[in-house]
Amino acid sequence: MTRYHEFHRHSIDEPEAFWRNEATRIHWETPFHTVLDRSNPPFARWFVGGRTNLCHNAVDRHLAQRAQQNALIYVSTETGIERKYTYAELYAEVNRMAAVMRALGVKRGERVLIYLPMIPEAVFAMLACARLGAVHSVVFGGFAAPNLAARIDDAQPVLIVTADAGARAGKVIDYAPLIDEALSRAAHKTPRVLLIDRQLTPEKLVAPYLVDYEPLREQFFHAHVQCEWLESNEPSYVLYTSGTTGRPKGVQRDVGGYAVALAASMEYIFQGQPGDTMFTASDVGWVVGHSYIVYAPLLAGLTTVMYEGTPIRPDGGIWWRLVQKYGINLMFTAPTALRVLKKQDPALLKQADLSSLRTLFLAGEPLDEPTATWIAQALGKPVVDNFWQTETGWPILAIQRGVEALPQKLGSPGVPVYGYQLSLRNELTGEACAPGEKGVVTLGYPLPPGCMSTVWGDDSRFASTYWSGAPDQPSYSTFDWGIQDDDGYVTILGRTDDVINVAGHRLGTREIEEALLSHKAVAEVAVVGVTDPVKGQVALAFTVLRDAARYEADDARAALETELTATVDRQLGAIARPARVHVVAMLPKTRSGKLLRRAIAALAEGRDPGDLPTIEDPSALQLIRDALTAQIPVPVPHR
Ligand code: ATP
Ligand code: MG
């Protein structure tokens, strides 16, 4: 047994001892009396009776040793603003915001909906809620009014914090009409709206009970607001899942378990030391942003970099220049961003001095082999893929380099993280799979600290959506499909509803996508299963090409399709061969960059894709429709 195996075993066999030890990483105002309460499965309560506060642990606790260290570096390539906040300054800003919220009537346990772009005030507002014991619900800035209204009705906030505008790729997105419409659509009447005026737009919000932040901030400039000491299992926030597979679920998180899990992950997975600088290129509206832009780096005494902008403006070298300028040690983003960067001039990466960078972390969707190989070679540093969900709050699968730097295997995010009792199970029988056998990635009860406590306001939805098996030994489904090898490495093959069944063979769409991506003409690809009268289902592929102009002529296009299907034949066998490989200019994705395969499948079967609240660009759907109806010649079959 290697160090990793021992460590993982210990966390599963003796969870109380393991997590009691990890709990010393944070400050407890009142110590807990019970590490783990498992009296009511599938619910679990961690550190019962303990009182603590996320804001105290992320901010106040560092003042003694690192008041003058930067806590937050803010960079916006949209507005040209760069600002630094030391821990002392962050403390002051959070106290101002907390005092303003308190003056507006926000109390412990009440919800505050934060609908903000990537500006420092988003971090201040989250931490201010934590300080007051209020429950924040951050909604990704720029979601359309109906999505926002649905979340207002679900969370029932007493306050909405918003801004005049967001900015994306040089375009100002006026929030006023969005907020106005959302407020009038929502059944819940939010008593107050707090406006951060960035002065990006002359439009004025006319929301009822609107208050401007700036004069209030002045009024409470020297405020000190006491931290509310919350019982470990009180809610800290509600965050909705990305909505890739349907109606988003309101994930409720606790206080103590989350703080402990994140603090531990900073050592064992991210190897972040106090004083290090971490740049997580995500958005505070997503779970990666909650955990690794805001809470984890601050809990561990790092400097966090918050970035508003795209990875390619002003050019594809911007992130690498930030690494050089701020001496960034840890970077975290999604594979989508890397695929975008891969299409840029590779020289841009070489122009920056990247010597400070130790590791690049990637999560959110499958990391395909060509992208993984490209970035690992270009950087010459470890690239750590990690698999997790909004529900878990921190990684489920990863190479935990702070425990043991096990070798990477291309295509796999690694081995189960300590605390997670992971198994692959047969979709129908629930039986554990043998190594090499495909199954659903499931987690044993209890989930470790930091994972969701319940679905907001709906305990029965939590139990019925995620859990199955015997009542005293339930198991949690990730709804992801995977395969585990003899060494324990798991490869994610797609979501369970992305699995296709061709003449009785179960195939993950991911496997076919990987095969297609190995062809150099292909930049991005989505594979879906569509009903077929003979085979049950067949695979259909939609690709975005690296150099589409080269394949504009019909015969070039047909020849490429022949080559691509032959590539799948070679790698997976003819059974996996897509019936057609269509070329499109863009694929439909969520705003967090995840492929909307279900919508593509619906279109391919002539069905309505339904409501897609989180789609990035709805015109991508029309491109799919066009591709499906285009009269392009069917390629000559090979063999
Ligand atoms: P919804 O649950 O509302 O449909 P979602 O699942 O897209 O939305 P998230 O919680 O943001 O919302 O995404 C988690 C999912 O992302 C995982 O279940 C998995 O499908 C995918 N994922 C995350 N990280 C990885 C990874 N490293 N490799 C493969 N897939 C990943
Ligand atoms: Mg999900």
Side-chain angles (χ1 to χ4, degrees):
M1 280 234 279
T2 67
R3 161 123 178 91
Y4 156 73
H5 291 97
E6 263 170 46
F7 194 73
H8 186 266
R9 235 339 59 241
H10 174 48
S11 75
I12 301 303
D13 291 348
E14 294 162 287
E16 276 94 348
F18 183 92
W19 290 107
R20 182 189 297 283
N21 188 34
E22 297 303 329
T24 57
R25 293 175 184 275
I26 67 158
H27 168 80
W28 295 93
E29 184 68 7
T30 311
F32 45 87
H33 53 72
T34 305
V35 177
L36 167 62
D37 167 11
R38 42 160 90 210
S39 62
N40 183 25
F43 301 89
R45 301 196 311 144
W46 288 95
F47 311 119
V48 184
R51 291 187 175 270
T52 185
N53 181 289
L54 276 169
C55 182
H56 173 88
N57 279 288
V59 184
D60 303 34
R61 197 172 51 121
H62 300 305
L63 294 178
Q65 278 184 31
R66 51 190 83 255
Q68 299 315 315
Q69 178 196 311
N70 285 326
L72 175 65
I73 296 175
Y74 175 67
V75 179
S76 170
T77 49
E78 298 292 344
T79 59
I81 292 173
E82 296 203 17
R83 256 185 230 141
K84 295 178 186 174
Y85 299 84
T86 62
Y87 272 94
E89 286 162 340
L90 178 62
Y91 172 84
E93 291 293 353
V94 170
N95 275 276
R96 287 165 198 150
M97 181 72 83
V100 170
M101 286 184 178
R102 195 171 58 183
L104 295 174
V106 175
K107 294 193 192 66
R108 177 175 186 160
E110 290 178 335
R111 275 78 56 214
V112 173
L113 190 143
I114 299 173
Y115 181 75
L116 286 174
M118 287 289 280
I119 54 176
E121 286 79 2
V123 177
F124 306 157
M126 290 167 77
L127 292 167
C129 288
R131 195 168 191 86
L132 295 170
V135 178
H136 60 68
S137 183
V138 183
V139 175
F140 176 68
F143 261 155
N147 317 140
L148 183 55
R151 287 159 175 77
I152 293 172
D153 279 337
D154 196 63
Q156 312 236 319
V158 294
L159 177 72
I160 294 177
V161 187
T162 190
D164 56 332
R168 195 177 152 84
K171 276 206 309 249
V172 168
I173 303 143
D174 194 350
Y175 279 12
L178 288 164
I179 296 277
D180 285 343
E181 192 192 332
L183 286 174
S184 64
R185 272 173 179 258
H188 169 78
K189 293 299 158 216
T190 307
R192 288 190 190 275
V193 176
L194 180 62
L195 177 75
I196 317 285
D197 191 357
R198 310 175 75 187
Q199 311 199 329
L200 288 184
T201 152
E203 287 301 309
K204 278 286 160 240
L205 193 61
V206 289
Y209 313 112
L210 184 74
V211 274
D212 241 309
Y213 181 60
E214 197 45 43
L216 287 169
R217 175 177 174 271
E218 286 299 317
Q219 188 184 328
F220 292 101
F221 204 77
H222 301 289
H224 290 275
V225 176
Q226 287 284 315
C227 286
E228 280 283 333
W229 299 111
L230 303 177
E231 200 277 333
S232 178
N233 295 280
E234 283 183 59
S236 57
Y237 68 74
V238 179
L239 176 64
Y240 295 86
T241 59
S242 306
T244 309
T245 55
R247 186 159 70 98
K249 299 154 282 256
V251 168
Q252 177 179 321
R253 195 95 59 207
D254 69 359
V255 178
Y258 188 52
V260 170
L262 290 187
S265 77
M266 284 309 286
E267 175 179 338
Y268 299 134
I269 303 172
F270 295 91
Q271 293 183 292
Q273 301 288 334
D276 279 349
T277 300
M278 180 165 190
F279 172 27
T280 298
S282 176
D283 191 283
V284 287
W286 313 126
V287 71
V288 172
H290 277 60
S291 292
Y292 295 102
I293 294 174
V294 184
Y295 288 111
L298 296 177
L299 286 166
L302 278 74
T303 302
T304 185
V305 178
M306 179 182 199
Y307 177 79
E308 179 184 51
T310 72
I312 51 169
R313 278 183 85 248
D315 61 59
I318 177 65
W319 283 3
W320 313 121
R321 289 196 296 279
L322 289 179
V323 170
Q324 172 176 334
K325 179 166 181 188
Y326 293 111
I328 289 165
N329 308 110
L330 309 170
M331 207 170 148
F332 190 173
T333 190
T336 305
L338 287 187
R339 284 193 281 269
V340 168
L341 286 176
K342 199 171 149 202
K343 289 187 227 162
Q344 306 291 309
D345 178 4
L348 288 167
L349 197 148
K350 297 281 175 216
Q351 278 162 16
D353 173 3
L354 303 179
S355 55
S356 62
L357 188 68
R358 296 200 300 263
T359 318
L360 172 68
F361 297 90
L362 295 170
E365 40 163 345
L367 173 62
D368 57 279
E369 291 189 19
T371 305
T373 310
W374 166 71
I375 192 65
Q377 280 171 0
L379 288 178
K381 322 255 173 174
V383 174
V384 176
D385 183 8
N386 53 111
F387 161 84
W388 46 296
Q389 314 183 296
T390 308
E391 288 86 342
T392 65
W394 60 288
I396 302 171
L397 288 172
I399 297 296
Q400 299 135 68
R401 297 176 55 85
V403 178
E404 182 183 355
L406 291 176
Q408 304 268 1
K409 292 194 188 181
L410 271 181
S412 163
V415 291
V417 169
Y418 55 90
Y420 292 95
Q421 205 180 333
L422 183 143
S423 59
L424 282 124
R425 294 193 173 264
N426 183 290
E427 211 179 1
L428 302 174
T429 63
E431 299 283 317
C433 298
E437 199 186 320
K438 297 174 199 174
V440 182
V441 179
T442 59
L443 305 172
Y445 175 79
L447 298 181
C451 294
M452 78 188 293
S453 354
T454 186
V455 171
W456 173 252
D458 200 345
D459 285 352
S460 64
R461 189 173 175 205
F462 173 66
S464 65
T465 303
Y466 295 103
W467 297 88
S468 61
D472 58 333
Q473 204 40 260
S475 67
Y476 169 96
S477 175
T478 60
F479 299 107
D480 285 300
W481 178 256
I483 190 165
Q484 189 167 28
D485 72 10
D486 287 319
D487 301 326
Y489 286 66
V490 178
T491 299
I492 301 295
L493 300 174
R495 293 160 188 264
T496 47
D497 52 5
D498 291 335
V499 172
I500 58 180
N501 192 333
V502 184
H505 297 264
R506 313 279 284 150
L507 297 163
T509 50
R510 161 95 193 269
E511 301 170 84
I512 307 174
E513 288 171 3
E514 281 277 346
L516 290 166
L517 277 166
S518 70
H519 191 287
K520 60 184 184 314
V522 177
E524 286 183 89
V525 61
V527 169
V528 297
V530 296
T531 345
D532 180 88
V534 181
K535 297 176 177 163
Q537 273 187 314
V538 289
L540 268 193
F542 295 83
T543 57
V544 176
L545 300 181
R546 217 175 283 286
D547 182 6
R550 267 186 63 187
Y551 301 97
E552 231 138 55
D554 280 354
D555 53 344
R557 187 68 72 83
L560 176 66
E561 190 168 346
T562 307
E563 262 179 53
L564 289 173
T565 47
T567 308
V568 177
D569 278 13
R570 260 196 319 276
Q571 298 189 16
L572 297 171
I575 190 78
R577 180 196 303 162
R580 290 302 310 264
V581 181
H582 294 288
V583 175
V584 289
M586 166 175 54
L587 291 166
K589 288 183 190 163
T590 65
R591 285 170 179 268
S592 49
K594 292 162 188 283
L595 280 172
L596 287 161
R597 293 191 191 76
R598 277 234 299 217
I600 303 176
L603 292 173
E605 290 182 343
R607 290 179 287 116
D608 177 6
D611 189 23
L612 298 168
T614 61
I615 191 166
E616 164 85 25
D617 185 342
S619 68
L621 295 175
Q622 193 51 45
L623 298 179
I624 299 284
R625 281 193 198 95
D626 294 347
L628 285 162
T629 49
Q631 294 299 316
I632 41 168
V634 178
V636 192
H638 36 86
R639 285 198 305 169

